[in-house]
Amino acid sequence: FYQVDGPSPSLLKFSDGGFLQTRFSLSFDLRPSEFFYFHSRARIDRGFDPGDNPDGALRLDEVFLRYRPFGDARLNLQLGKSATVFGNYVSRHDFHDDPFLVAPLPYGEILGVAVRNPAGNSLSNIAGRASGRLPGVFNSPKRNWASAIWGPAYTSGVSIFGAFEKFDYALEIKNVEAGAHPNQWDASAEDFDSPTIAGRLGYRPNATWNFGASWSRGPYLNPEADRFLPVGTDRGDLPHTMFGVDARWARGDVIFSGEAIFNRYERLSGEDLESLSWYLQARWKAAPGFWLATRLGQTLNNEVSGLSGERLPWSPDLLRAELAAGWRVTPDLLLKTQYSYTKSSGGLEGPGSNLFGFGVGWRF
């Protein structure tokens, strides 16, 4: 259950007030030998992002086949629909693994980058939003806008990954970029004429530390934008480039983790739209089965030059502070609660300031 004031923050898609998100997940795993592994996960809920489909719908979020030619972790070849290899959040994004109810800021908030019509990124539209003549980013549907990474980004394609000694690596070619909307993740919804390439290199010096660096590049416009592009231009000419670094430290009952991501969105004309988003979080196991967590995140965006040389903001800067608590009543029953406070700046209106959430998860 979520309660918000004003435009909903994160990737929640309901108006001011409360919303009950019910979700049933069914996973199927098959490991016929040490060389092959098959996984699928279907969900029935009110939208991948709560409120996106309030009447309910059935989805196949993950389905992939993995092949290990050596029968160990050194090399994995994977084909299908799976989470992105970018960053360090995806490995703990499941309800029972993530101490919070919503994703960290880089993975769970929109940016003022129009993905359905490139005109939304033009100087006139940016100036209109900055002056208030046009609706702000958070006062229009979230399907119009980009996110640096859209949650776990279950996109479709092929990936290669593995681990040896103190290093791990991953490389993927997917049909859409990690910031694409969930309705684009299926291979049937997008062809591979403008694929996205992403990768990550990790280093684990010991059991306490884990470091990583990630990179991604691919077109951010969705197919609806094709009819608005000038002759001779396609979506591949307007890429979204991301660079990220992440770290994790764990000892005893305490885990610290964080990530910083730089984004660059190229436009038809004018300066590129650039953004730096980061988060730091801590989790403390206060007692057996009970833990507390806190997280701080921020998104900072550049400004672009107006017709008179003035500097204009294209998306609000955001600062988010979060507190969460969880109680694992039994190994399979988990209760979680979260409070988030979001402050916007940069001369543009942001989402609602307060978010409260409470969740119950049961595995069987």
Side-chain angles (χ1 to χ4, degrees):
F1 176 79
Y2 300 95
Q3 180 74 37
V4 300
D5 62 341
S8 55
S10 190
L11 298 178
L12 307 177
K13 294 184 177 179
F14 53 90
S15 58
D16 185 8
F19 187 83
L20 178 64
Q21 167 77 340
T22 54
R23 169 170 288 169
F24 174 78
S25 300
L26 179 64
S27 297
F28 175 77
D29 296 88
L30 177 64
R31 199 182 300 271
S33 72
E34 61 182 339
F35 300 102
F36 288 96
Y37 169 63
F38 175 81
H39 168 77
S40 65
R41 178 178 294 180
R43 291 187 173 104
I44 300 175
D45 53 29
R46 305 181 72 188
F48 183 86
D49 302 310
D52 190 34
N53 196 328
D55 294 329
L58 171 66
R59 259 186 350 273
L60 186 63
D61 279 339
E62 296 177 275
V63 55
F64 60 78
L65 177 65
R66 184 181 300 166
Y67 172 56
R68 285 183 165 183
F70 306 118
D72 56 33
R74 287 178 296 169
L75 177 63
N76 298 264
L77 307 176
Q78 186 166 291
L79 172 66
K81 185 180 181 185
S82 59
T84 181
V85 302
F86 193 102
N88 70 354
Y89 164 69
V90 170
S91 62
R92 62 175 193 278
H93 76 276
D94 185 76
F95 180 90
H96 287 267
D97 299 323
D98 188 356
F100 297 87
L101 288 168
V102 297
L105 202 54
Y107 296 80
E109 192 57 88
I110 58 172
L111 294 168
V113 179
V115 297
R116 301 174 70 196
N117 186 342
N121 303 319
S122 66
L123 180 57
S124 59
N125 276 264
I126 290 175
R129 294 196 295 269
S131 65
R133 291 185 292 103
L134 296 177
V137 173
F138 287 90
N139 290 316
S140 55
K142 293 187 178 182
R143 67 178 183 273
N144 294 336
W145 310 104
S147 176
I149 307 174
W150 205 285
Y154 295 132
T155 50
S156 301
V158 296
S159 56
I160 302 173
F161 59 94
F164 57 94
E165 295 183 352
K166 297 181 178 181
F167 293 91
D168 55 81
Y169 66 92
L171 180 68
E172 66 181 11
I173 301 177
K174 295 292 192 68
N175 61 330
V176 291
E177 64 137 352
H181 294 194
N183 60 10
Q184 297 174 258
W185 293 349
D186 288 342
S188 59
E190 286 269 4
D191 53 29
F192 283 81
D193 61 343
S194 299
T196 287
I197 300 177
R200 182 180 184 274
L201 180 64
Y203 173 56
R204 295 167 281 105
N206 51 52
T208 299
W209 286 99
N210 194 327
F211 301 95
S214 303
W215 172 83
S216 174
R217 182 177 174 88
Y220 62 88
L221 295 173
N222 69 27
E224 295 179 61
D226 285 338
R227 66 182 187 274
F228 300 111
L229 291 171
V231 176
T233 302
D234 61 35
R235 288 180 287 146
D237 297 325
L238 301 173
H240 169 209
T241 304
M242 285 195 299
F243 299 95
V245 291
D246 61 78
R248 185 176 187 270
W249 181 91
R251 176 173 292 179
D253 296 329
V254 179
I255 301 175
F256 288 96
S257 60
E259 191 167 358
I261 298 175
F262 171 77
N263 299 276
R264 175 180 290 124
Y265 297 86
E266 296 186 21
R267 297 192 294 161
L268 289 172
S269 62
E271 302 164 75
D272 296 338
L273 306 180
E274 297 179 347
S275 175
L276 175 65
S277 188
W278 61 267
Y279 75 91
L280 293 171
Q281 77 175 47
R283 176 177 179 174
W284 173 47
K285 184 178 178 181
F290 180 76
W291 43 259
L292 300 171
T294 183
R295 185 165 65 197
L296 183 67
Q298 189 175 27
T299 296
L300 301 170
N301 308 301
N302 70 331
E303 295 182 337
V304 297
S305 294
L307 294 176
S308 302
E310 75 279 20
R311 304 297 290 178
L312 299 172
W314 56 270
S315 190
D317 296 340
L318 299 176
L319 177 67
R320 179 168 296 160
E322 300 169 278
L323 296 173
W327 179 27
R328 200 172 295 277
V329 184
T330 70
D332 296 318
L333 179 61
L334 175 63
L335 309 180
K336 293 198 299 186
T337 187
Q338 174 177 347
Y339 170 73
S340 297
Y341 173 76
T342 303
K343 180 181 179 181
S344 59
S345 59
L348 296 175
E349 182 180 357
S353 298
N354 299 286
L355 163 69
F356 172 79
F358 176 77
V360 180
W362 178 42
R363 292 185 294 197
F364 59 94

